[in-house]
Amino acid sequence: MALETTLILFKPDAVSKGLVGQVLARFEGAGLKIRGIKMLQFGDALLREHYSHIASKPFFPDVQKFMQQTPIVALALAGEDAVAQVRSLLGPTDSKKAPKGSIRGDLGIDVMVNVCHASDSTEAAAAELNRFFRDDELFSR
Ligand code: ADP
């Protein structure tokens, strides 16, 4: 087990439906600790950088429109195996296939509208934390 920090983005569906608090409570209830949190509007350049792995997909314009519907909330969470732990709490990408009891299974709508983004590896987490937080916005406790 390794102490890791991972990056979560509460997507516009979570923000507009008022789901941020209950999802954050699930993360904190699992023992994960907040190291940083902020609200921001996803700009075109940042969005293209963050989703470069899907930028050529036919559904990318829909993702772009969806992710810019409202401001998002970015969260840095620390804990033992935080990257895998958060992905497991979240469930698979497609909310319709996500098991009940997972965040996407309980609160998501479909493959695009799925409550949260979470880093999928420690390498991605390092790059994504750097993308959304300055060093002095991340706290250790
Ligand atoms: P994850 O967010 O689970 O890591 P991906 O990195 O594969 O999944 O995709 C990034 C995001 O793009 C997804 O969370 C979802 O919002 C959107 N997405 C992925 N696949 C599709 C699809 N087939 N149709 C529409 N949106 C999709």
Side-chain angles (χ1 to χ4, degrees):
M1 299 246 280
L3 185 60
E4 297 169 349
T5 303
T6 191
L7 184 277
I8 289 110
L9 301 176
F10 288 93
K11 298 188 181 189
D13 59 318
V15 172
S16 62
K17 290 188 212 161
L19 301 176
V20 174
Q22 60 171 286
V23 175
L24 182 52
R26 291 194 192 203
F27 292 138
E28 290 190 307
L32 294 153
K33 308 280 187 210
I34 299 173
R35 289 194 57 200
I37 189 163
K38 63 163 72 165
M39 194 167 205
L40 68 144
Q41 179 66 40
F42 231 138
D44 289 338
L46 191 65
L47 196 129
R48 193 160 280 277
E49 182 186 325
H50 184 70
Y51 279 131
S52 59
H53 63 293
I54 58 162
S56 61
K57 302 276 189 194
F59 56 79
F60 182 70
D62 291 335
V63 172
Q64 192 166 19
K65 204 178 297 169
F66 165 55
M67 290 301 293
Q68 294 182 321
Q69 263 168 13
T70 71
I72 57 168
V73 175
L75 178 67
L77 275 187
E80 292 293 337
D81 291 330
V83 171
Q85 208 190 329
V86 167
R87 293 283 294 193
S88 164
L89 289 168
L90 210 50
T93 308
D94 189 347
S95 307
K96 292 202 170 91
K97 295 183 182 150
K100 286 291 160 214
S102 69
I103 291 165
R104 284 169 168 167
D106 291 346
L107 303 169
I109 300 296
D110 56 25
V111 68
M112 183 176 79
V113 182
N114 58 7
V115 192
C116 288
H117 163 83
S119 308
D120 64 2
S121 67
T122 51
E123 295 75 21
E128 292 176 358
L129 288 162
N130 192 45
R131 185 171 300 144
F132 288 92
F133 290 96
R134 295 193 316 261
D135 284 349
D136 66 354
E137 293 173 326
L138 290 177
F139 298 84
S140 298
R141 58 194 174 97

